[in-house]
Structure formats: structure tokens, C-alpha cells
């Protein structure tokens, strides 16, 4: 089993907690899907050595923010079976992160773009399967995906897909950059490890 240092766990947890706050803030200002959730899932997959925690962190972050929306805002946080596809999408993003062996700007950028595409495909597949908006045919699935591209016309960048991808790229740069800057300050070599 891989081991984590306490200071590394705290640093990663703080960075991901900040990403959850970012989701709450961007939704408050109605900048939908320009969040750090995909970047947080990618980040957890890459940085957290113990993979059970790597998968748990984005799930717990997503669940807590969904529950916050449900109980403390007018945004629906719990919305049925399609949520499973959203959560599965973030697990796929975490898996993608676990496949990145060496962190480079190019790999993080490609991972962030792929994360946005994964979220787009999975969340809209859930919409297609659990809502009766489109006929449940292959043509209906393609229509669902096509209709989702300009879904949020009034958003900052004008589309669901663009917001998701730009959000992942922006927040991935922020999370990985902050981690690299803060790691020498907070994570000490030779520190006691935690199983």
C-alpha cells in the first residue's frame, strides 16, 4: 500500500476544499460548469498515492457540494438517477489521473481537456437515459449531445462544453501550479508517513 505524509494529505485536502468552494461560488454567480470539480478529480488521481483516497476525495467533494446546493440554495443538488452518471464521469476522470505517471504541463492540459469531454459525454448520457426529453434511440442520443453543446447560452463562455473544458484547464493549472509551489513549503522529506 502506498503511504502519504500528513502534510501532503493536508495540502491536497486544502486545495480540493478550495475547489469545492469554487463550485459553490461559480454557481452562485450563475457561471455553470466553470468549476474545479473535474480538475480536482484529475488532481486527486495524479497526486494522491493511495488510490482509494484518490477516488474518495472527488466523490466526497461532489457529494458535499450537491448536498449544500440541495439544502441551502435554490439549486437542485439531488436530481435523480442521472447523478450516477455525473459521479461515474468524475470517477473516470480520477482514473485518467491515475494513468498520468509524469506530470508535465502538456499532460495536465490534455488530461484537463479529456476530463471536460468525459464529463460532457457522461452527464448528457445520464440526461438521455433518465429524462424523457429525447427518443431513446441512437438518433435521440446524438440529438441530446448536439443540444447540449450550446446548453448555457448566457454563460461566461457561451456553452456547456466550452465552460466545462475551460474550467478544467483553468483549475487544473491552478491546482497543479499551487501544489508545485506549496509542496516544498508544506511537505517535508523524511516526514512520518500514514498508511
Amino acid at each position: 500500500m502506498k503511504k502519504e505524509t500528513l502534510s501532503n494529505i493536508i495540502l491536497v485536502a486544502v486545495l480540493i476544499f478550495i475547489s469545492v468552494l469554487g463550485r459553490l461560488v461559480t454557481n452562485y454567480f450563475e457561471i455553470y460548469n466553470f468549476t474545479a470539480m473535474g480538475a480536482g478529480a484529475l488532481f486527486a488521481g495524479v497526486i494522491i498515492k493511495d488510490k482509494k483516497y484518490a477516488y474518495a476525495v472527488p466523490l466526497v467533494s461532489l457529494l458535499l457540494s450537491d448536498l449544500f446546493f440541495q439544502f441551502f440554495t435554490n439549486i437542485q443538488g439531488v436530481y435523480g438517477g442521472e447523478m450516477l452518471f455525473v459521479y461515474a464521469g468524475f470517477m473516470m476522470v480520477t482514473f485518467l489521473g491515475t494513468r498520468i505517471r509524469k506530470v508535465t504541463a502538456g499532460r495536465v492540459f490534455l488530461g484537463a481537456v479529456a476530463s471536460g469531454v468525459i464529463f460532457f459525454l457522461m452527464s448528457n448520457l445520464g440526461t438521455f437515459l433518465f429524462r424523457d426529453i429525447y427518443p431513446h434511440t441512437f438518433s435521440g442520443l446524438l440529438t441530446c449531445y448536439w443540444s447540449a453543446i450550446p446548453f448555457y447560452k448566457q454563460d461566461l463562455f457561451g456553452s456547456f462544453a466550452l465552460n466545462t473544458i475551460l474550467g478544467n484547464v483553468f483549475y487544473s493549472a491552478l491546482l497543479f501550479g499551487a501544489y508545485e509551489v506549496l509542496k516544498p513549503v508544506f511537505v517535508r522529506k523524511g516526514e512520518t508517513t500514514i498508511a
Side-chain angles (χ1 to χ4, degrees):
M1 173 188 344
K2 306 267 179 152
K3 297 188 177 197
E4 304 283 346
T5 63
L6 180 59
S7 57
N8 194 52
I9 291 170
I10 291 169
L11 177 58
V12 169
V14 167
L15 290 172
I16 292 176
F17 176 74
I18 291 169
S19 73
V20 171
L21 287 179
R23 181 180 187 213
L24 301 177
V25 170
T26 56
N27 275 276
Y28 176 80
F29 288 110
E30 298 179 359
I31 306 171
Y32 301 108
N33 295 306
F34 190 80
T35 72
M37 298 307 295
L42 183 68
F43 179 75
V46 172
I47 300 298
I48 299 175
K49 291 179 180 97
D50 188 330
K51 295 311 171 196
K52 72 178 177 247
Y53 294 121
Y55 286 98
V57 167
L59 277 179
V60 170
S61 301
L62 191 58
L63 179 63
L64 290 176
S65 57
D66 280 341
L67 291 174
F68 181 86
F69 286 137
Q70 185 69 30
F71 294 117
F72 300 109
T73 72
N74 60 351
I75 297 170
Q76 187 178 12
V78 179
Y79 46 90
E82 63 195 275
M83 283 180 68
L84 297 174
F85 285 81
V86 170
Y87 282 63
F90 284 112
M91 293 301 89
M92 291 170 73
V93 170
T94 303
F95 176 77
L96 175 67
T98 66
R99 306 287 57 134
I100 297 175
R101 301 286 183 226
K102 183 177 181 195
V103 178
T104 65
R107 288 179 181 165
V108 169
F109 175 79
L110 291 175
V113 170
S115 298
V117 171
I118 290 168
F119 176 77
F120 177 81
L121 293 173
M122 289 299 292
S123 63
N124 287 293
L125 178 60
T127 298
F128 170 74
L129 292 173
F130 285 93
R131 294 192 185 187
D132 290 326
I133 301 171
Y134 307 100
H136 289 205
T137 63
F138 183 69
S139 175
L141 176 62
L142 294 179
T143 302
C144 176
Y145 284 129
W146 183 255
S147 298
I149 292 171
F151 189 71
Y152 293 109
K153 291 183 173 129
Q154 302 304 317
D155 275 358
L156 181 62
F157 298 109
S159 81
F160 176 80
L162 193 55
N163 270 14
T164 302
I165 290 171
L166 286 178
N168 283 342
V169 170
F170 173 78
Y171 287 111
S172 290
L174 196 65
L175 283 172
F176 283 93
Y179 181 76
E180 286 306 312
V181 168
L182 296 173
K183 184 171 69 171
V185 175
F186 290 100
V187 180
R188 293 170 212 81
K189 292 191 191 297
E191 182 180 13
T192 305
T193 56
I194 298 173

